[in-house]
Amino acid sequence: MGDDKRLRDAAEKLALILAQGGMQKTTARVMTCLLFSQQETLTAADLCTELQISSGAVSGAVKQLAPSGLLERVPAPGSRRDHYRFPDGAWATLMSQQNQLLATMGEVADQGLAAAGDPSTPAGQRMAEMRDFYSFMLRELPPLIERWRTDFTAKQANQETHQAD
Amino acid sequence: MGDDKRLRDAAEKLALILAQGGMQKTTARVMTCLLFSQQETLTAADLCTELQISSGAVSGAVKQLAPSGLLERVPAPGSRRDHYRFPDGAWATLMSQQNQLLATMGEVADQGLAAAGDPSTPAGQRMAEMRDFYSFMLRELPPLIERWRTDFTAKQANQETHQAD
DNA sequence: CAGAGTATTCACAGATCTCTGAAACTTCTG
DNA sequence: CAGAAGTTTCAGAGATCTGTGAATACTCTG
């Protein structure tokens, strides 16, 4: 990745954006480093030298990213080191996980509605709107993501076909 | 709001969820306090006593929430105090603002694609997928939100009609 | 236009978070 | 199975963030 300054800049820029959105700064940097790297995979040592951070920091970032599907360990034949990669379809995975949040918001709204008692009270009305909104989103978003997955896979298959011609 | 423990609990619970998602803890508490309140509006003093925080903290939270459309000042006839409210349609507004983020992600991907040069390189492929995903979402999400707005407004109008019968 | 009632700002104390560096632990290899 | 290579854990230092409380700035009212 050290091979192109523009890529590195873009990586750090995105890391900053993600950090402002709540992601840990180092975690974000590790993620964008993998995302913008011209190598297929990076090792922990690569990340240390590239980002100037300790191995402990890398370990921590990996522990956060892996369960979210934003980083995957790649079997590394012939190397004792772990190899990491930004997975295909990670963005879709990420957005799918937001659905969990949508569901939670809906549940909270339900509980609030029950607690408010009468839906015509101020709190009751707010809860009703909240519940309506989140159940709507929870119904509509997953199919949308699924559609992207399908479309994108098809698009890729097409490209490969044309390439082979 | 002090009138129902369940509402208060739900409020604090949601605040906690939002805080874990990156929102400032006090800001989240102010927001959920307004959301779950049985009063139409709350004053800064109300928030202070309800949440046991200083006026400075309230001021700070308001400054964060208002520009995001998660809190609005309500003209308070006959009262010198500011009155605050959780606005109608705030959730939709909030999600619409996410679109700005989607756009930014797309732009970063574009820049990355340009920097990667060849779209067949590892970085190039990742960028291409990223761009595809975010431009897809940016195309599909706003109409979806708009649809909810329309549906919900219609639904409310309906209810009022039936109520009036 | 003076003054009371509010809102906002700000320096600082306290809490929280996060990375480092080293030690402990794992897992391969010879 | 001993030792090398690599990863994870952890205590503690340092940085960052955040709320308080008091001072400041507004803004109505009489």
PDB file of all heavy atoms in Angstrom, chain B residues 26-28 30-31 34 42-45 47 53 55-73 82-85, chain C residues 7-9:
ATOM      1  N   THR B  26     -25.080  11.973  27.202  1.00  0.00           N
ATOM      2  CA  THR B  26     -26.021  12.987  27.660  1.00  0.00           C
ATOM      3  C   THR B  26     -26.958  13.427  26.538  1.00  0.00           C
ATOM      4  O   THR B  26     -28.163  13.598  26.748  1.00  0.00           O
ATOM      5  CB  THR B  26     -25.274  14.208  28.211  1.00  0.00           C
ATOM      6  OG1 THR B  26     -24.477  13.777  29.304  1.00  0.00           O
ATOM      7  CG2 THR B  26     -26.237  15.263  28.664  1.00  0.00           C
ATOM      8  N   THR B  27     -26.399  13.583  25.359  1.00  0.00           N
ATOM      9  CA  THR B  27     -27.220  13.956  24.211  1.00  0.00           C
ATOM     10  C   THR B  27     -28.315  12.928  23.998  1.00  0.00           C
ATOM     11  O   THR B  27     -29.486  13.277  23.796  1.00  0.00           O
ATOM     12  CB  THR B  27     -26.335  14.036  22.959  1.00  0.00           C
ATOM     13  OG1 THR B  27     -25.275  14.963  23.200  1.00  0.00           O
ATOM     14  CG2 THR B  27     -27.132  14.488  21.754  1.00  0.00           C
ATOM     15  N   ALA B  28     -27.951  11.672  24.068  1.00  0.00           N
ATOM     16  CA  ALA B  28     -28.938  10.605  23.881  1.00  0.00           C
ATOM     17  C   ALA B  28     -30.001  10.659  24.969  1.00  0.00           C
ATOM     18  O   ALA B  28     -31.195  10.484  24.699  1.00  0.00           O
ATOM     19  CB  ALA B  28     -28.239   9.248  23.889  1.00  0.00           C
ATOM     20  N   VAL B  30     -31.054  13.248  26.652  1.00  0.00           N
ATOM     21  CA  VAL B  30     -31.945  14.381  26.411  1.00  0.00           C
ATOM     22  C   VAL B  30     -32.958  14.034  25.326  1.00  0.00           C
ATOM     23  O   VAL B  30     -34.161  14.254  25.466  1.00  0.00           O
ATOM     24  CB  VAL B  30     -31.135  15.631  25.998  1.00  0.00           C
ATOM     25  CG1 VAL B  30     -32.055  16.714  25.444  1.00  0.00           C
ATOM     26  CG2 VAL B  30     -30.359  16.160  27.193  1.00  0.00           C
ATOM     27  N   MET B  31     -32.452  13.427  24.272  1.00  0.00           N
ATOM     28  CA  MET B  31     -33.330  13.079  23.173  1.00  0.00           C
ATOM     29  C   MET B  31     -34.417  12.105  23.614  1.00  0.00           C
ATOM     30  O   MET B  31     -35.609  12.329  23.348  1.00  0.00           O
ATOM     31  CB  MET B  31     -32.506  12.457  22.048  1.00  0.00           C
ATOM     32  CG  MET B  31     -33.364  11.968  20.914  1.00  0.00           C
ATOM     33  SD  MET B  31     -32.385  11.155  19.642  1.00  0.00           S
ATOM     34  CE  MET B  31     -33.485   9.793  19.277  1.00  0.00           C
ATOM     35  N   LEU B  34     -37.175  13.595  25.773  1.00  0.00           N
ATOM     36  CA  LEU B  34     -38.201  14.295  25.008  1.00  0.00           C
ATOM     37  C   LEU B  34     -39.118  13.302  24.313  1.00  0.00           C
ATOM     38  O   LEU B  34     -40.341  13.472  24.266  1.00  0.00           O
ATOM     39  CB  LEU B  34     -37.551  15.196  23.955  1.00  0.00           C
ATOM     40  CG  LEU B  34     -36.823  16.432  24.485  1.00  0.00           C
ATOM     41  CD1 LEU B  34     -35.994  17.061  23.383  1.00  0.00           C
ATOM     42  CD2 LEU B  34     -37.810  17.435  25.037  1.00  0.00           C
ATOM     43  N   LEU B  42     -40.791  20.076  26.671  1.00  0.00           N
ATOM     44  CA  LEU B  42     -40.077  20.209  27.948  1.00  0.00           C
ATOM     45  C   LEU B  42     -39.184  21.447  27.890  1.00  0.00           C
ATOM     46  O   LEU B  42     -38.698  21.814  26.822  1.00  0.00           O
ATOM     47  CB  LEU B  42     -39.208  18.977  28.216  1.00  0.00           C
ATOM     48  CG  LEU B  42     -39.919  17.641  28.459  1.00  0.00           C
ATOM     49  CD1 LEU B  42     -38.898  16.541  28.691  1.00  0.00           C
ATOM     50  CD2 LEU B  42     -40.873  17.734  29.634  1.00  0.00           C
ATOM     51  N   THR B  43     -38.963  22.044  29.033  1.00  0.00           N
ATOM     52  CA  THR B  43     -38.038  23.171  29.093  1.00  0.00           C
ATOM     53  C   THR B  43     -36.669  22.655  29.522  1.00  0.00           C
ATOM     54  O   THR B  43     -36.520  21.517  29.953  1.00  0.00           O
ATOM     55  CB  THR B  43     -38.494  24.211  30.125  1.00  0.00           C
ATOM     56  OG1 THR B  43     -38.405  23.605  31.424  1.00  0.00           O
ATOM     57  CG2 THR B  43     -39.913  24.653  29.881  1.00  0.00           C
ATOM     58  N   ALA B  44     -35.677  23.527  29.394  1.00  0.00           N
ATOM     59  CA  ALA B  44     -34.325  23.150  29.810  1.00  0.00           C
ATOM     60  C   ALA B  44     -34.330  22.767  31.290  1.00  0.00           C
ATOM     61  O   ALA B  44     -33.704  21.783  31.691  1.00  0.00           O
ATOM     62  CB  ALA B  44     -33.365  24.308  29.561  1.00  0.00           C
ATOM     63  N   ALA B  45     -35.068  23.527  32.075  1.00  0.00           N
ATOM     64  CA  ALA B  45     -35.126  23.239  33.514  1.00  0.00           C
ATOM     65  C   ALA B  45     -35.728  21.862  33.771  1.00  0.00           C
ATOM     66  O   ALA B  45     -35.238  21.107  34.617  1.00  0.00           O
ATOM     67  CB  ALA B  45     -35.946  24.315  34.216  1.00  0.00           C
ATOM     68  N   LEU B  47     -35.551  19.309  31.864  1.00  0.00           N
ATOM     69  CA  LEU B  47     -34.539  18.315  31.518  1.00  0.00           C
ATOM     70  C   LEU B  47     -33.486  18.211  32.616  1.00  0.00           C
ATOM     71  O   LEU B  47     -33.030  17.114  32.953  1.00  0.00           O
ATOM     72  CB  LEU B  47     -33.886  18.677  30.174  1.00  0.00           C
ATOM     73  CG  LEU B  47     -34.822  18.507  28.968  1.00  0.00           C
ATOM     74  CD1 LEU B  47     -34.289  19.232  27.744  1.00  0.00           C
ATOM     75  CD2 LEU B  47     -35.016  17.023  28.655  1.00  0.00           C
ATOM     76  N   ILE B  53     -28.862  16.723  35.426  1.00  0.00           N
ATOM     77  CA  ILE B  53     -27.668  17.256  34.782  1.00  0.00           C
ATOM     78  C   ILE B  53     -27.704  18.776  34.847  1.00  0.00           C
ATOM     79  O   ILE B  53     -28.745  19.373  35.131  1.00  0.00           O
ATOM     80  CB  ILE B  53     -27.564  16.814  33.308  1.00  0.00           C
ATOM     81  CG1 ILE B  53     -28.820  17.214  32.531  1.00  0.00           C
ATOM     82  CG2 ILE B  53     -27.343  15.311  33.222  1.00  0.00           C
ATOM     83  CD1 ILE B  53     -28.800  16.819  31.083  1.00  0.00           C
ATOM     84  N   SER B  55     -27.317  22.800  33.580  1.00  0.00           N
ATOM     85  CA  SER B  55     -27.883  23.539  32.444  1.00  0.00           C
ATOM     86  C   SER B  55     -26.894  23.574  31.284  1.00  0.00           C
ATOM     87  O   SER B  55     -27.288  23.563  30.120  1.00  0.00           O
ATOM     88  CB  SER B  55     -28.248  24.956  32.872  1.00  0.00           C
ATOM     89  OG  SER B  55     -27.098  25.640  33.313  1.00  0.00           O
ATOM     90  N   GLY B  56     -25.618  23.594  31.620  1.00  0.00           N
ATOM     91  CA  GLY B  56     -24.607  23.577  30.566  1.00  0.00           C
ATOM     92  C   GLY B  56     -24.689  22.315  29.730  1.00  0.00           C
ATOM     93  O   GLY B  56     -24.558  22.365  28.502  1.00  0.00           O
ATOM     94  N   ALA B  57     -24.913  21.219  30.397  1.00  0.00           N
ATOM     95  CA  ALA B  57     -25.007  19.947  29.677  1.00  0.00           C
ATOM     96  C   ALA B  57     -26.208  19.950  28.742  1.00  0.00           C
ATOM     97  O   ALA B  57     -26.124  19.483  27.605  1.00  0.00           O
ATOM     98  CB  ALA B  57     -25.098  18.795  30.668  1.00  0.00           C
ATOM     99  N   VAL B  58     -27.327  20.493  29.235  1.00  0.00           N
ATOM    100  CA  VAL B  58     -28.521  20.569  28.390  1.00  0.00           C
ATOM    101  C   VAL B  58     -28.235  21.421  27.165  1.00  0.00           C
ATOM    102  O   VAL B  58     -28.539  21.025  26.033  1.00  0.00           O
ATOM    103  CB  VAL B  58     -29.707  21.161  29.164  1.00  0.00           C
ATOM    104  CG1 VAL B  58     -30.880  21.430  28.229  1.00  0.00           C
ATOM    105  CG2 VAL B  58     -30.128  20.217  30.282  1.00  0.00           C
ATOM    106  N   SER B  59     -27.627  22.557  27.406  1.00  0.00           N
ATOM    107  CA  SER B  59     -27.314  23.447  26.293  1.00  0.00           C
ATOM    108  C   SER B  59     -26.479  22.738  25.243  1.00  0.00           C
ATOM    109  O   SER B  59     -26.731  22.844  24.044  1.00  0.00           O
ATOM    110  CB  SER B  59     -26.579  24.672  26.823  1.00  0.00           C
ATOM    111  OG  SER B  59     -26.266  25.548  25.774  1.00  0.00           O
ATOM    112  N   GLY B  60     -25.481  21.995  25.705  1.00  0.00           N
ATOM    113  CA  GLY B  60     -24.619  21.259  24.780  1.00  0.00           C
ATOM    114  C   GLY B  60     -25.384  20.222  23.983  1.00  0.00           C
ATOM    115  O   GLY B  60     -25.213  20.112  22.762  1.00  0.00           O
ATOM    116  N   ALA B  61     -26.249  19.502  24.664  1.00  0.00           N
ATOM    117  CA  ALA B  61     -27.025  18.465  23.978  1.00  0.00           C
ATOM    118  C   ALA B  61     -27.940  19.086  22.927  1.00  0.00           C
ATOM    119  O   ALA B  61     -28.047  18.596  21.806  1.00  0.00           O
ATOM    120  CB  ALA B  61     -27.845  17.673  24.996  1.00  0.00           C
ATOM    121  N   VAL B  62     -28.576  20.190  23.313  1.00  0.00           N
ATOM    122  CA  VAL B  62     -29.476  20.865  22.376  1.00  0.00           C
ATOM    123  C   VAL B  62     -28.713  21.293  21.132  1.00  0.00           C
ATOM    124  O   VAL B  62     -29.194  21.131  20.003  1.00  0.00           O
ATOM    125  CB  VAL B  62     -30.117  22.096  23.043  1.00  0.00           C
ATOM    126  CG1 VAL B  62     -30.786  22.991  22.013  1.00  0.00           C
ATOM    127  CG2 VAL B  62     -31.122  21.646  24.090  1.00  0.00           C
ATOM    128  N   LYS B  63     -27.514  21.769  21.353  1.00  0.00           N
ATOM    129  CA  LYS B  63     -26.718  22.251  20.219  1.00  0.00           C
ATOM    130  C   LYS B  63     -26.372  21.109  19.264  1.00  0.00           C
ATOM    131  O   LYS B  63     -26.153  21.331  18.080  1.00  0.00           O
ATOM    132  CB  LYS B  63     -25.441  22.925  20.736  1.00  0.00           C
ATOM    133  CG  LYS B  63     -24.863  23.880  19.741  1.00  0.00           C
ATOM    134  CD  LYS B  63     -23.907  24.875  20.364  1.00  0.00           C
ATOM    135  CE  LYS B  63     -22.746  24.208  21.049  1.00  0.00           C
ATOM    136  NZ  LYS B  63     -21.734  25.220  21.490  1.00  0.00           N
ATOM    137  N   GLN B  64     -26.298  19.898  19.803  1.00  0.00           N
ATOM    138  CA  GLN B  64     -26.018  18.766  18.926  1.00  0.00           C
ATOM    139  C   GLN B  64     -27.272  18.250  18.230  1.00  0.00           C
ATOM    140  O   GLN B  64     -27.236  17.868  17.067  1.00  0.00           O
ATOM    141  CB  GLN B  64     -25.419  17.615  19.739  1.00  0.00           C
ATOM    142  CG  GLN B  64     -23.977  17.824  20.118  1.00  0.00           C
ATOM    143  CD  GLN B  64     -23.355  16.511  20.565  1.00  0.00           C
ATOM    144  OE1 GLN B  64     -23.369  16.178  21.750  1.00  0.00           O
ATOM    145  NE2 GLN B  64     -22.862  15.747  19.613  1.00  0.00           N
ATOM    146  N   LEU B  65     -28.368  18.218  18.972  1.00  0.00           N
ATOM    147  CA  LEU B  65     -29.586  17.599  18.451  1.00  0.00           C
ATOM    148  C   LEU B  65     -30.316  18.473  17.432  1.00  0.00           C
ATOM    149  O   LEU B  65     -30.808  17.970  16.424  1.00  0.00           O
ATOM    150  CB  LEU B  65     -30.533  17.260  19.603  1.00  0.00           C
ATOM    151  CG  LEU B  65     -30.075  16.140  20.529  1.00  0.00           C
ATOM    152  CD1 LEU B  65     -30.954  16.080  21.763  1.00  0.00           C
ATOM    153  CD2 LEU B  65     -30.071  14.805  19.803  1.00  0.00           C
ATOM    154  N   ALA B  66     -30.384  19.758  17.720  1.00  0.00           N
ATOM    155  CA  ALA B  66     -31.199  20.638  16.887  1.00  0.00           C
ATOM    156  C   ALA B  66     -30.798  20.597  15.405  1.00  0.00           C
ATOM    157  O   ALA B  66     -31.672  20.434  14.546  1.00  0.00           O
ATOM    158  CB  ALA B  66     -31.152  22.059  17.437  1.00  0.00           C
ATOM    159  N   PRO B  67     -29.516  20.726  15.092  1.00  0.00           N
ATOM    160  CA  PRO B  67     -29.151  20.727  13.671  1.00  0.00           C
ATOM    161  C   PRO B  67     -29.433  19.401  12.978  1.00  0.00           C
ATOM    162  O   PRO B  67     -29.575  19.355  11.768  1.00  0.00           O
ATOM    163  CB  PRO B  67     -27.637  20.985  13.684  1.00  0.00           C
ATOM    164  CG  PRO B  67     -27.329  21.493  15.040  1.00  0.00           C
ATOM    165  CD  PRO B  67     -28.326  20.887  15.952  1.00  0.00           C
ATOM    166  N   SER B  68     -29.511  18.304  13.743  1.00  0.00           N
ATOM    167  CA  SER B  68     -29.796  17.001  13.143  1.00  0.00           C
ATOM    168  C   SER B  68     -31.288  16.767  12.996  1.00  0.00           C
ATOM    169  O   SER B  68     -31.708  15.717  12.521  1.00  0.00           O
ATOM    170  CB  SER B  68     -29.215  15.880  14.001  1.00  0.00           C
ATOM    171  OG  SER B  68     -27.896  16.195  14.408  1.00  0.00           O
ATOM    172  N   GLY B  69     -32.071  17.711  13.467  1.00  0.00           N
ATOM    173  CA  GLY B  69     -33.520  17.545  13.334  1.00  0.00           C
ATOM    174  C   GLY B  69     -34.111  16.594  14.357  1.00  0.00           C
ATOM    175  O   GLY B  69     -35.218  16.112  14.195  1.00  0.00           O
ATOM    176  N   LEU B  70     -33.368  16.315  15.420  1.00  0.00           N
ATOM    177  CA  LEU B  70     -33.876  15.404  16.444  1.00  0.00           C
ATOM    178  C   LEU B  70     -34.451  16.164  17.629  1.00  0.00           C
ATOM    179  O   LEU B  70     -34.837  15.572  18.636  1.00  0.00           O
ATOM    180  CB  LEU B  70     -32.757  14.471  16.920  1.00  0.00           C
ATOM    181  CG  LEU B  70     -32.287  13.494  15.847  1.00  0.00           C
ATOM    182  CD1 LEU B  70     -31.027  12.792  16.271  1.00  0.00           C
ATOM    183  CD2 LEU B  70     -33.394  12.490  15.564  1.00  0.00           C
ATOM    184  N   LEU B  71     -34.478  17.470  17.504  1.00  0.00           N
ATOM    185  CA  LEU B  71     -35.041  18.314  18.562  1.00  0.00           C
ATOM    186  C   LEU B  71     -35.408  19.638  17.920  1.00  0.00           C
ATOM    187  O   LEU B  71     -34.677  20.134  17.068  1.00  0.00           O
ATOM    188  CB  LEU B  71     -33.991  18.507  19.655  1.00  0.00           C
ATOM    189  CG  LEU B  71     -34.259  19.511  20.776  1.00  0.00           C
ATOM    190  CD1 LEU B  71     -33.519  19.065  22.031  1.00  0.00           C
ATOM    191  CD2 LEU B  71     -33.807  20.922  20.383  1.00  0.00           C
ATOM    192  N   GLU B  72     -36.535  20.159  18.317  1.00  0.00           N
ATOM    193  CA  GLU B  72     -36.862  21.488  17.790  1.00  0.00           C
ATOM    194  C   GLU B  72     -37.326  22.407  18.903  1.00  0.00           C
ATOM    195  O   GLU B  72     -37.920  21.971  19.891  1.00  0.00           O
ATOM    196  CB  GLU B  72     -37.906  21.407  16.671  1.00  0.00           C
ATOM    197  CG  GLU B  72     -39.274  20.956  17.095  1.00  0.00           C
ATOM    198  CD  GLU B  72     -40.226  20.802  15.901  1.00  0.00           C
ATOM    199  OE1 GLU B  72     -39.849  21.121  14.768  1.00  0.00           O
ATOM    200  OE2 GLU B  72     -41.365  20.337  16.126  1.00  0.00           O
ATOM    201  N   ARG B  73     -36.990  23.656  18.733  1.00  0.00           N
ATOM    202  CA  ARG B  73     -37.452  24.679  19.662  1.00  0.00           C
ATOM    203  C   ARG B  73     -38.889  25.014  19.300  1.00  0.00           C
ATOM    204  O   ARG B  73     -39.207  25.209  18.128  1.00  0.00           O
ATOM    205  CB  ARG B  73     -36.599  25.940  19.544  1.00  0.00           C
ATOM    206  CG  ARG B  73     -35.232  25.810  20.123  1.00  0.00           C
ATOM    207  CD  ARG B  73     -34.500  27.137  20.044  1.00  0.00           C
ATOM    208  NE  ARG B  73     -33.440  27.208  21.036  1.00  0.00           N
ATOM    209  CZ  ARG B  73     -32.243  26.670  20.878  1.00  0.00           C
ATOM    210  NH1 ARG B  73     -31.955  26.019  19.769  1.00  0.00           N
ATOM    211  NH2 ARG B  73     -31.334  26.778  21.833  1.00  0.00           N
ATOM    212  N   ASP B  82     -37.198  28.556  26.806  1.00  0.00           N
ATOM    213  CA  ASP B  82     -37.273  27.790  25.568  1.00  0.00           C
ATOM    214  C   ASP B  82     -38.020  26.502  25.851  1.00  0.00           C
ATOM    215  O   ASP B  82     -37.835  25.879  26.901  1.00  0.00           O
ATOM    216  CB  ASP B  82     -35.860  27.432  25.075  1.00  0.00           C
ATOM    217  CG  ASP B  82     -35.206  28.610  24.388  1.00  0.00           C
ATOM    218  OD1 ASP B  82     -35.820  29.687  24.340  1.00  0.00           O
ATOM    219  OD2 ASP B  82     -34.068  28.454  23.921  1.00  0.00           O
ATOM    220  N   HIS B  83     -38.857  26.108  24.918  1.00  0.00           N
ATOM    221  CA  HIS B  83     -39.518  24.817  25.023  1.00  0.00           C
ATOM    222  C   HIS B  83     -39.002  23.924  23.907  1.00  0.00           C
ATOM    223  O   HIS B  83     -38.885  24.364  22.770  1.00  0.00           O
ATOM    224  CB  HIS B  83     -41.038  24.975  24.936  1.00  0.00           C
ATOM    225  CG  HIS B  83     -41.635  25.536  26.192  1.00  0.00           C
ATOM    226  ND1 HIS B  83     -42.601  24.877  26.910  1.00  0.00           N
ATOM    227  CD2 HIS B  83     -41.371  26.679  26.872  1.00  0.00           C
ATOM    228  CE1 HIS B  83     -42.925  25.605  27.980  1.00  0.00           C
ATOM    229  NE2 HIS B  83     -42.183  26.703  27.979  1.00  0.00           N
ATOM    230  N   TYR B  84     -38.700  22.677  24.273  1.00  0.00           N
ATOM    231  CA  TYR B  84     -38.136  21.752  23.290  1.00  0.00           C
ATOM    232  C   TYR B  84     -39.084  20.590  23.054  1.00  0.00           C
ATOM    233  O   TYR B  84     -39.823  20.186  23.946  1.00  0.00           O
ATOM    234  CB  TYR B  84     -36.792  21.215  23.791  1.00  0.00           C
ATOM    235  CG  TYR B  84     -35.802  22.290  24.109  1.00  0.00           C
ATOM    236  CD1 TYR B  84     -35.376  22.511  25.414  1.00  0.00           C
ATOM    237  CD2 TYR B  84     -35.282  23.102  23.098  1.00  0.00           C
ATOM    238  CE1 TYR B  84     -34.454  23.491  25.714  1.00  0.00           C
ATOM    239  CE2 TYR B  84     -34.364  24.091  23.382  1.00  0.00           C
ATOM    240  CZ  TYR B  84     -33.948  24.285  24.694  1.00  0.00           C
ATOM    241  OH  TYR B  84     -33.040  25.271  24.983  1.00  0.00           O
ATOM    242  N   ARG B  85     -38.987  20.056  21.859  1.00  0.00           N
ATOM    243  CA  ARG B  85     -39.856  18.944  21.488  1.00  0.00           C
ATOM    244  C   ARG B  85     -39.134  18.005  20.536  1.00  0.00           C
ATOM    245  O   ARG B  85     -38.262  18.420  19.785  1.00  0.00           O
ATOM    246  CB  ARG B  85     -41.101  19.508  20.814  1.00  0.00           C
ATOM    247  CG  ARG B  85     -41.899  18.477  20.059  1.00  0.00           C
ATOM    248  CD  ARG B  85     -43.223  19.024  19.605  1.00  0.00           C
ATOM    249  NE  ARG B  85     -43.102  20.038  18.550  1.00  0.00           N
ATOM    250  CZ  ARG B  85     -44.131  20.753  18.111  1.00  0.00           C
ATOM    251  NH1 ARG B  85     -45.319  20.620  18.671  1.00  0.00           N
ATOM    252  NH2 ARG B  85     -43.962  21.633  17.144  1.00  0.00           N
TER     253      ARG B  85
ATOM    254  P    DA C   7     -34.018  28.594  29.370  1.00  0.00           P
ATOM    255  OP1  DA C   7     -35.011  28.002  28.451  1.00  0.00           O
ATOM    256  OP2  DA C   7     -33.522  27.843  30.530  1.00  0.00           O
ATOM    257  O5'  DA C   7     -32.768  29.069  28.499  1.00  0.00           O
ATOM    258  C5'  DA C   7     -32.973  29.942  27.395  1.00  0.00           C
ATOM    259  C4'  DA C   7     -31.644  30.281  26.756  1.00  0.00           C
ATOM    260  O4'  DA C   7     -30.850  31.066  27.683  1.00  0.00           O
ATOM    261  C3'  DA C   7     -30.781  29.074  26.391  1.00  0.00           C
ATOM    262  O3'  DA C   7     -30.227  29.305  25.102  1.00  0.00           O
ATOM    263  C2'  DA C   7     -29.716  29.033  27.477  1.00  0.00           C
ATOM    264  C1'  DA C   7     -29.574  30.490  27.838  1.00  0.00           C
ATOM    265  N9   DA C   7     -29.176  30.756  29.220  1.00  0.00           N
ATOM    266  C8   DA C   7     -29.792  30.321  30.363  1.00  0.00           C
ATOM    267  N7   DA C   7     -29.218  30.740  31.465  1.00  0.00           N
ATOM    268  C5   DA C   7     -28.162  31.498  31.016  1.00  0.00           C
ATOM    269  C6   DA C   7     -27.163  32.219  31.702  1.00  0.00           C
ATOM    270  N6   DA C   7     -27.081  32.298  33.032  1.00  0.00           N
ATOM    271  N1   DA C   7     -26.237  32.870  30.952  1.00  0.00           N
ATOM    272  C2   DA C   7     -26.324  32.799  29.614  1.00  0.00           C
ATOM    273  N3   DA C   7     -27.222  32.156  28.875  1.00  0.00           N
ATOM    274  C4   DA C   7     -28.115  31.521  29.642  1.00  0.00           C
ATOM    275  P    DT C   8     -29.305  28.192  24.432  1.00  0.00           P
ATOM    276  OP1  DT C   8     -29.545  28.263  22.982  1.00  0.00           O
ATOM    277  OP2  DT C   8     -29.461  26.921  25.177  1.00  0.00           O
ATOM    278  O5'  DT C   8     -27.830  28.743  24.706  1.00  0.00           O
ATOM    279  C5'  DT C   8     -27.478  30.026  24.225  1.00  0.00           C
ATOM    280  C4'  DT C   8     -26.049  30.356  24.642  1.00  0.00           C
ATOM    281  O4'  DT C   8     -25.968  30.512  26.080  1.00  0.00           O
ATOM    282  C3'  DT C   8     -24.997  29.312  24.268  1.00  0.00           C
ATOM    283  O3'  DT C   8     -23.987  29.977  23.526  1.00  0.00           O
ATOM    284  C2'  DT C   8     -24.506  28.775  25.606  1.00  0.00           C
ATOM    285  C1'  DT C   8     -24.771  29.953  26.539  1.00  0.00           C
ATOM    286  N1   DT C   8     -25.010  29.638  27.985  1.00  0.00           N
ATOM    287  C2   DT C   8     -24.203  30.231  28.933  1.00  0.00           C
ATOM    288  O2   DT C   8     -23.282  30.971  28.653  1.00  0.00           O
ATOM    289  N3   DT C   8     -24.515  29.911  30.231  1.00  0.00           N
ATOM    290  C4   DT C   8     -25.540  29.084  30.664  1.00  0.00           C
ATOM    291  O4   DT C   8     -25.723  28.889  31.860  1.00  0.00           O
ATOM    292  C5   DT C   8     -26.344  28.494  29.623  1.00  0.00           C
ATOM    293  C7   DT C   8     -27.469  27.569  29.976  1.00  0.00           C
ATOM    294  C6   DT C   8     -26.049  28.800  28.345  1.00  0.00           C
ATOM    295  P    DT C   9     -22.849  29.107  22.821  1.00  0.00           P
ATOM    296  OP1  DT C   9     -22.640  29.652  21.473  1.00  0.00           O
ATOM    297  OP2  DT C   9     -23.120  27.677  23.019  1.00  0.00           O
ATOM    298  O5'  DT C   9     -21.591  29.512  23.708  1.00  0.00           O
ATOM    299  C5'  DT C   9     -21.451  30.864  24.106  1.00  0.00           C
ATOM    300  C4'  DT C   9     -20.357  30.995  25.151  1.00  0.00           C
ATOM    301  O4'  DT C   9     -20.859  30.604  26.447  1.00  0.00           O
ATOM    302  C3'  DT C   9     -19.117  30.138  24.891  1.00  0.00           C
ATOM    303  O3'  DT C   9     -17.977  30.968  25.049  1.00  0.00           O
ATOM    304  C2'  DT C   9     -19.199  29.045  25.951  1.00  0.00           C
ATOM    305  C1'  DT C   9     -19.914  29.773  27.079  1.00  0.00           C
ATOM    306  N1   DT C   9     -20.682  28.937  28.044  1.00  0.00           N
ATOM    307  C2   DT C   9     -20.489  29.135  29.393  1.00  0.00           C
ATOM    308  O2   DT C   9     -19.696  29.937  29.845  1.00  0.00           O
ATOM    309  N3   DT C   9     -21.272  28.352  30.205  1.00  0.00           N
ATOM    310  C4   DT C   9     -22.208  27.413  29.802  1.00  0.00           C
ATOM    311  O4   DT C   9     -22.846  26.786  30.633  1.00  0.00           O
ATOM    312  C5   DT C   9     -22.354  27.259  28.375  1.00  0.00           C
ATOM    313  C7   DT C   9     -23.330  26.262  27.858  1.00  0.00           C
ATOM    314  C6   DT C   9     -21.599  28.021  27.576  1.00  0.00           C
TER     315       DT C   9
END
